[in-house]
Amino acid sequence: MENVNEREIDFKLLSELFFTFFKLSPISFGGGFAMIPVLEAEIVYKKKWIEGKQIVDTFVLAQSAPGAIATNSAIFVGYQVAGIPGAIAAMLGMVIPTFIIVIILASLFVFFQTNHYVLAALNGIRPVIVALIASAAYKMSKTSLIDKTCWIICLICVAVLLLCPNINIIVVILSGAFIGITIMKVKKMFSNSVKTE
Amino acid sequence: MSLYIDIFITFFKIGLIGFGGGYAIIPIIESQVNLHQWLDVKQLTDIIAIAAMAPGPIAANSATVIGFKLAGIPGAAIACAGITLPSLLVILILGKLFIKYQEHALVKAIFYGLRATIIGTIVYAAIKFAASNGIIGGSNLIDIKSTLLVLVSFVLLVKTKINPVYLIIAAGFIGILIF
């Protein structure tokens, strides 16, 4: 994958990237993780754009970089296939279909939001949204809260946010990075084995 | 014009800090939307419902609906671009470096702590959304019907592979019947 940026811009390849993700995007219900097997089948086995080993790296990066896993995967696949123009083509292919669908749904909502039945339906739907958020936390905790220290950091974080409603949430999130580094250093002082995964 | 710039900068910031994707970004969106006094939590809950019913990333979809509500289709496009562009920039600039250093102790330590605080913010968001929608902490302390819906949905989401879209649609019909 050397010199990807020095290749001449191949518009045929770019449009293929765009339309591949354009086609995959509307079926990406349920978020990033549901997307992974579909992406792998299309990109690795059908298009043979990148190898199995690279797709693993792609998904690791997609989960670690900020933003949606599906979009991040598309961007990095596009980059590996056709450099920066490829990244942009893949990103647009991924974003445009869902953008249009969301706009249509939002317009319908604006039109019907004062309807008696819609209001009642929303009363039923709001608890599901709370459950969706809570279940996201639960599912992430299974893989990410790997020891007691993690649980303590997480609980302190919840307590701080509840007790200080005006605290800047970005500062709270980023403090996790500093806590992680500090804990690693402290653990290093007491033992040679550092377990962070 | 200044609203457009405000929307772009706000969602760019959200996108830049949105580690974990999906619902991990909701608490950040909530805090920023609250800061700008653009929407209350109840309105945001409805927006997330729309976002969750559409295919695609929940955070980008939510950004699109918020932008749409604030400033029509241009606002939607600006919000969607704002939340998506940081992904592009971070991956193009740091992608190769990250893959090289993903096993490095410092990188692991950073994500070790980050994941814990991110989960904390999601738990907080769940509590805040429950409280702001009158599910808990209202005049009855606990609204029985809504709380049951939360609990049943949670169990279904955690224990089965139910598609959230079907769950939302089913809950809509239940809402029409019981509220």
Side-chain angles (χ1 to χ4, degrees):
Chain A
M1 285 301 125
E2 288 86 36
N3 301 328
V4 274
N5 297 323
E6 287 162 32
R7 282 184 201 160
E8 271 184 49
I9 294 179
D10 176 348
F11 285 102
K12 193 169 161 283
L13 182 62
L14 290 183
S15 73
E16 209 180 327
L17 270 168
F18 176 82
F19 283 110
T20 299
F21 286 104
F22 191 90
K23 201 180 70 188
L24 288 175
S25 168
I27 58 164
S28 65
F29 273 105
F33 290 105
M35 213 36 215
I36 288 181
V38 187
L39 258 179
E40 192 176 6
E42 185 77 18
I43 305 302
V44 178
Y45 299 108
K46 204 171 149 206
K47 298 280 179 187
K48 297 193 187 344
W49 273 332
I50 60 177
E51 291 165 21
K53 162 84 183 69
Q54 283 176 293
I55 200 82
V56 175
D57 280 346
T58 301
F59 290 138
V60 170
L61 175 66
Q63 285 169 56
S64 305
I69 292 170
T71 314
N72 289 351
S73 303
I75 292 170
F76 198 55
V77 168
Y79 178 67
Q80 291 173 92
V81 175
I84 292 173
I88 295 169
M91 179 187 73
L92 290 176
M94 200 72 185
V95 170
I96 289 172
T98 53
F99 178 80
I100 294 169
I101 295 169
V102 170
I103 293 288
I104 294 170
L105 275 179
S107 313
L108 285 173
F109 178 73
V110 171
F111 195 70
F112 288 111
Q113 63 179 339
T114 50
N115 178 287
H116 177 72
Y117 291 108
V118 171
L119 289 174
L122 282 171
N123 277 327
I125 289 171
R126 289 184 192 122
V128 178
I129 302 304
V130 172
L132 271 165
I133 298 171
S135 72
Y138 176 84
K139 284 176 188 165
M140 273 181 86
S141 76
K142 290 268 165 194
T143 51
S144 297
L145 299 183
I146 49 173
D147 57 21
K148 279 196 186 115
T149 319
C150 281
W151 277 99
I152 294 167
I153 300 169
C154 178
L155 291 176
I156 292 173
C157 176
V158 176
V160 167
L161 287 163
L162 286 173
L163 295 172
C164 320
N166 292 322
I167 197 164
N168 186 333
I169 201 163
I170 295 172
V171 174
V172 174
I173 291 173
L174 291 182
S175 71
F178 292 98
I179 296 168
I181 295 169
T182 314
I183 288 172
M184 181 189 73
K185 297 234 156 115
V186 171
K187 279 187 179 167
K188 243 183 192 167
M189 275 161 45
F190 289 104
S191 72
N192 289 322
S193 63
V194 183
K195 196 174 152 224
T196 49
E197 197 176 48
Chain B
M1 195 63 208
S2 76
L3 178 63
Y4 291 155
I5 294 169
D6 221 16
I7 292 173
F8 183 80
I9 292 174
T10 303
F11 283 102
F12 191 87
K13 212 162 76 178
I14 295 169
L16 203 55
I17 203 81
F19 296 104
Y23 286 91
I25 308 183
I26 298 297
I28 313 169
I29 293 182
E30 191 277 322
S31 80
Q32 295 304 309
V33 165
N34 185 25
L35 195 72
H36 285 83
Q37 297 183 317
W38 279 336
L39 305 159
D40 60 35
V41 179
K42 209 167 186 171
Q43 290 171 308
L44 185 60
T45 312
D46 296 345
I47 283 173
I48 295 168
I50 299 168
M53 285 170 82
I58 189 88
N61 288 355
S62 303
T64 303
V65 186
I66 295 168
F68 182 73
K69 196 150 186 157
L70 292 174
I73 289 177
I78 289 165
C80 183
I83 202 166
T84 309
L85 279 179
S87 294
L88 181 71
L89 297 179
V90 168
I91 290 173
L92 293 184
I93 296 166
L94 297 177
K96 295 264 152 135
L97 269 179
F98 177 80
I99 285 176
K100 201 171 161 194
Y101 289 107
Q102 55 170 294
E103 293 298 321
H104 193 280
L106 188 68
V107 174
K108 284 192 162 187
I110 287 171
F111 279 99
Y112 171 85
L114 264 184
R115 290 193 191 107
T117 49
I118 289 167
I119 294 170
T121 62
I122 309 174
V123 172
Y124 164 73
I127 297 170
K128 183 155 189 188
F129 276 70
S132 304
N133 285 298
I135 297 167
I136 53 168
S139 49
N140 299 328
L141 203 59
I142 289 176
D143 184 89
I144 308 274
K145 287 186 221 166
S146 312
T147 307
L148 272 175
L149 276 171
V150 174
L151 293 176
V152 172
S153 313
F154 181 82
V155 171
L156 285 173
L157 287 166
V158 167
K159 296 282 177 201
T160 70
K161 288 186 170 172
I162 188 168
N163 187 326
V165 179
Y166 298 142
L167 193 59
I168 290 172
I169 293 170
F173 283 111
I174 294 172
I176 292 172
L177 292 175
I178 67 171
F179 287 106

